[in-house]
């Protein structure tokens, strides 16, 4: 391969090559050419034996510079065959990547040129194949040889920061050299060739606060004691330059925004050393009266603080709490204020950080103090009672106007205004007390009864004369004292039980009196009335413990002889004056039951046997009970059977099947009682029934005819010409009132159409049992032939009917 002189050298290697080429002229250069045997193998298998050795047909690679911008095509290299005598008989062929488009070969000389500018970052090498053939015979002079054209890199790409700009944070007051952030730039040039991709970092902006490592790109702090409170944010610009930072290298830059984070390096401080606060003496206990705040330049938890009152005097009257959100101290009142007693209070307040950083303990205690002077304002206050709660007493039944007690209130202000007193009657339904307007003396307005209301609760109000709107209240409880105004009595709602087997001297019952008065009235005493004769059955014993025992004087009481006794008892109290009452006790004689304890008796009456009082034995009682059960069973069975019969099928199967006294049964029926249950003859025409009694006395021209077979009903004789509707209603009433009739069902068919029709009844009832009247058929002569035929047939039928009736 022969390489001509190069007009421009872009790298030291090319400069050296140019120098060698100028020194040696057009001498042939064959880099990476491997020597072969002087015997060349042709495709047809022949061997060309030469007497001298020759170079082989093997090509490894060529080089071409990227980004060529010259006016002429860039020369890449030259193909040459030993068979080429320079007469143009050898033809050189080039195939492979970019052959004919990017790389063009001179078929005569074998020179290869790059017709386009190449970019190594897009494609770094091309694989091609070279071949030499005879131009005239197309015979292959050299075997096909593969070689590579490699694109040599030039520094045409600047370093880049693909993810910039960046944000970083570092604590304030950090030591010098504290790592902040690490940058990494990328360069698309070939890192294996020259220094095109060798990057060096440097700071363009951000000094003297930060520095950057030129090789690693790590940004570090360059100054100590960087204070966030003085400056919080910094903008650092870092440059990355290739060619190891030499002149002519390409560069790129990015920005890193650095923020100093807060640390607790500032103590709290009150803006002033002395404060003053005005608080009226009417301020309520527990309510906030003021606020105070210390400033802290730190943020978040580093600025949190706690407030406290350090002097004991101020701590006794006031309290302070911390508002975490506003970082304020809330001052509240602990005790009531009194302008007349003390007009000024002094508080020593301290604010302390709650989260301290030991690294900055050398800066101080991280707390501050201030003094708060609270001035009490005078307020016109309502009257103040001498005590907060009054308890008074008064005897019941005291006369109206009795003095109960006195309340006292004074104006606490320096004016000492007079006070007026009132009772709040809104809380009580009835007014029992009144109060003096100027002196506060409470008196009764009516007589009090302890047994009705033992305690009274009232509220007294006091107001100043000069300012009636200022009112104070005080509760008062008044106790009604007891006097002996109620006589004792023995409350006995239940009767006292006396067993029939009681013995003489046996205690029947112990009684205890009741008294509406309290127990201050002394002991109760019991006795039998002295104005009554001695009770022969019972006596009374005073147990001297406010109880008395009722005792039997005799034995063997009998309930059948006398079951109820009455015993009057006189009971007295020990009060002043002595009161007494007489209570009558009822003693019931009973047959006592024995308890489970054997000999012990339960004081309860046993119900006497019903059979014994009625004089019936046990067997008779059982027999009566069985009879009652049997009767109940019969009644139930009767009701069941009747309900079943009510569900029978209708007696008339078809509406067209209408006949006289048609009865259909699904069982054996009741015999003759069924036909006698209701007189069906009453359904006939009363006029026809009367004529039936005269046998067959039928005359032509009557309104109708009806002959009934069978026995005559007695009721038909008495019917005369009464309306059938009235008869039917009468029969229905008689049937409803008849309770002795048998429980049989029958079907009654009412087919009578009533009277008043000139044509008579059109009912077909009874046609089978009656004889038609003797009619004259001479009137039928004027009929048509069909009419004569009908008359003959009807006449024959009538004759047969008469014969049947005669039999």
């Amino acid at each position: 391969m022969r390489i001509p002189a190069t007009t421009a050298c872009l790298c030291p290697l090319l400069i050296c090559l140019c120098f060698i080429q100028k020194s040696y002229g057009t001498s042939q250069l064959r880099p990476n050419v491997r020597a072969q045997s002087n015997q060349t193998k042709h495709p047809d298998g022949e061997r060309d034996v030469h007497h001298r050795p020759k170079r082989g047909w093997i090509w490894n690679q060529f080089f071409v510079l990227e980004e060529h911008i010259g006016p002429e095509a860039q020369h890449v290299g030259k193909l040459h065959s030993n068979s080429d005598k320079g007469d143009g008989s050898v033809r050189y062929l080039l195939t492979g990547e970019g052959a004919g488009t990017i790389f063009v070969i001179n078929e005569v000389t074998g020179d290869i040129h790059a017709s386009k500018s190449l970019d190594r970052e897009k494609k770094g090498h091309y694989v091609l194949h070279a071949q030499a053939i005879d131009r005239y015979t197309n015979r292959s002079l050299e075997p096909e040889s593969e070689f590579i054209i490699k694109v040599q890199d030039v520094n045409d790409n600047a370093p880049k920061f693909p993810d910039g700009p960046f944000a970083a944070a570092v604590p304030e007051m950090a030591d010098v050299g504290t790592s902040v952030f690490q940058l990494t730039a990328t360069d698309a040039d070939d890192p294996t060739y020259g220094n095109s991709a060798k990057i060096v970092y440097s700071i363009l902006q951000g000094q003297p606060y930060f520095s950057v490592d030129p090789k690693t790109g790590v940004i570090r702090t360059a100054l100590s004691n960087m204070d966030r409170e003085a400056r919080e944010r910094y903008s650092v610009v870092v440059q990355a330059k290739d060619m190891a930072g030499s002149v002519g290298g390409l560069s790129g830059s990015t920005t890193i925004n650095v923020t100093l984070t807060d640390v607790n390096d500032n103590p709290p401080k009150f803006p002033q050393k002395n404060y003053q606060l005005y608080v009226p003496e009417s301020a309520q206990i527990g309510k906030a009266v003021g606020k105070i705040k210390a400033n802290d330049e730190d943020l978040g938890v580093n600025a949190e603080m706690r407030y406290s009152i350090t002097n004991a005097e101020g701590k006794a009257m006031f309290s302070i709490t911390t508002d975490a959100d506003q970082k304020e101290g809330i001052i509240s009142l602990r005790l009531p204020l009194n302008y007349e007693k003390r007009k000024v209070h002094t508080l020593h307040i301290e604010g302390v950080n709650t989260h301290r950083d030991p690294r900055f303990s050398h800066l101080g205690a991280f707390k501050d103090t201030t003094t708060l002077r609270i001035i009490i304002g005078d307020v016109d206050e309502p009257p103040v009672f001498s005590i907060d709660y009054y308890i008074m007493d008064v005897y019941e039944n005291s006369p109206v106007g009795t003095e109960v007690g006195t309340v006292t209130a004074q104006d606490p202000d320096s004016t000492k205004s007079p006070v007026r007193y009132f009772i709040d009657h809104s809380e009580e339904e009835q007014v029992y007390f009144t109060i003096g307007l100027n002196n506060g003396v409470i008196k009764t307005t009516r007589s009090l009864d302890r047994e009705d209301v033992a305690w009274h609760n009232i509220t007294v109000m006091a107001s100043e004369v000069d300012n009636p709107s200022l009112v104070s209240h005080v509760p008062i409880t008044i106790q009604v004292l007891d006097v002996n105004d109620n006589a004792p009595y023995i409350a006995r709602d239940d009767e006292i039980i006396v067993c029939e087997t009681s013995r003489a001297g046996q205690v029947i019952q112990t009684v205890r009196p009741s008294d509406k008065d309290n127990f201050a009235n002394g002991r109760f005493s019991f006795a039998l009335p002295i104005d009554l004769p001695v009770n022969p059955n019972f006596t009374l014993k005073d147990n001297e413990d406010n109880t008395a025992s009722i005792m039997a004087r005799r034995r063997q009481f009998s309930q059948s002889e006398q079951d109820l006794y009455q015993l009057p008892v006189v009971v007295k109290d020990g009060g002043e004056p002595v009161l007494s009452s007489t209570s009558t006790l009822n003693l019931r004689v009973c047959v006592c039951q024995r308890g489970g304890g054997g000999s012990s008796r339960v004081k309860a009456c046993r119900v006497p046997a019903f059979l014994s009082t009625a004089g019936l034995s046990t067997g008779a009682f059982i027999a009566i009970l069985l009879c009652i059960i049997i009767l109940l069973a019969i009644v139930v069975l009767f009701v069941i059977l009747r309900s079943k019969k009510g569900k029978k099928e209708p007696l008339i199967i078809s509406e067209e099947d209408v006949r006289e006294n048609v009865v259909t049964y699904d069982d054996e029926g009741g015999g003759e009682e069924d036909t006698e249950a209701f007189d069906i003859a009453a359904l006939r025409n009363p006029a026809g029934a009367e004529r039936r009694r005269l046998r067959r006395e039928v005359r032509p021209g009557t309104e109708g005819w009806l002959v009934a077979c069978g026995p005559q009903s007695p009721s038909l004789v008495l019917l005369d010409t009464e309306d059938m509707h009235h008869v039917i209603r009468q029969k229905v009433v008689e049937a409803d009132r008849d309770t002795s009739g048998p429980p049989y069902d029958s079907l009654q068919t009412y087919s009578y159409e009533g009277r008043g029709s000139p044509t008579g009844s059109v009912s077909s009832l009874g046609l089978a049992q009656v004889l038609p009247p003797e009619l004259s058929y001479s009137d039928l002569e004027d009929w048509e032939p069909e009419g004569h035929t009908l008359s003959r047939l009807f006449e024959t039928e009538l004759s047969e009917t008469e014969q049947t009736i005669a039999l």
Side-chain angles (χ1 to χ4, degrees), residues 104 188 293 403 424 526 543 565 622:
V104 180
K293 182 177 182 179
E403 183 177 336
D424 185 4
F526 305 86
N543 297 325
Y565 294 89
I622 294 175

Side-chain angles (χ1 to χ4, degrees), residues 670-688:
E672 294 180 357
E673 294 178 351
D674 281 351
T675 60
E676 296 178 359
F678 195 89
D679 191 1
I680 195 65
L683 301 178
R684 304 177 185 277
N685 190 340

Side-chain angles (χ1 to χ4, degrees), residues 1-40:
M1 179 183 65
R2 296 178 180 177
I3 300 177
T6 304
T7 58
C9 298
L10 300 179
C11 62
L13 179 61
L14 295 179
I15 295 174
C16 296
L17 292 176
C18 292
F19 178 77
I20 296 173
Q21 185 178 11
K22 292 179 179 180
S23 302
Y24 292 94
T26 58
S27 61
Q28 293 183 351
L29 296 178
R30 296 180 181 267
N32 298 323
V33 176
R34 185 179 62 185
Q36 280 188 340
S37 174
N38 56 357
Q39 294 180 354
T40 303

Side-chain angles (χ1 to χ4, degrees), residues 159-324:
K160 295 181 180 180
F161 296 93
D163 299 328
F166 303 92
V170 64
E172 64 172 333
M173 311 299 290
D175 296 334
V176 175
T178 301
S179 177
V180 178
F181 194 76
Q182 182 173 8
L183 293 172
T184 301
T186 59
D187 195 324
D189 293 328
D190 187 1
T192 63
Y193 180 77
N195 295 325
S196 298
K198 188 174 182 180
I199 300 173
V200 174
Y201 300 93
S202 61
I203 284 185
L204 300 180
Q205 177 182 327
Q207 294 177 338
Y209 307 103
F210 301 94
S211 63
V212 63
D213 190 298
K215 295 182 178 181
T216 62
V218 176
I219 300 174
R220 303 178 185 274
T221 58
L223 287 179
S224 60
N225 301 328
M226 285 193 295
D227 193 359
R228 184 198 65 83
E229 289 73 26
R231 181 178 178 182
E232 184 177 5
R233 290 178 176 83
Y234 296 85
S235 180
V236 179
V237 179
V238 175
Q239 174 185 267
K241 190 174 184 180
D242 59 10
M243 298 299 294
S246 61
V247 177
L250 303 179
S251 65
S253 63
T254 188
T255 301
I256 304 96
N257 296 315
V258 181
T259 302
L260 298 183
T261 57
D262 185 58
V263 297
N264 191 8
D265 58 340
N266 294 280
K269 290 183 179 181
F270 288 101
Q272 300 176 209
K273 287 300 181 181
N274 292 282
Y275 292 90
Q276 187 169 296
L277 178 65
Y278 172 83
V279 178
E281 62 175 337
S282 59
Q284 297 181 7
I285 296 176
K287 299 295 183 179
V289 296
K291 300 179 181 179
I292 193 169
K293 182 177 182 179
N295 297 327
D296 194 326
E297 296 180 354
D298 296 323
L299 301 176
V301 296
N302 297 321
E304 292 181 0
M305 66 187 72
R306 182 183 66 255
Y307 296 92
S308 61
I309 300 175
T310 58
N311 60 324
E313 179 184 355
K315 189 183 299 184
M317 288 295 297
F318 298 90
S319 64
I320 187 169
T321 57
T322 303
D323 185 350

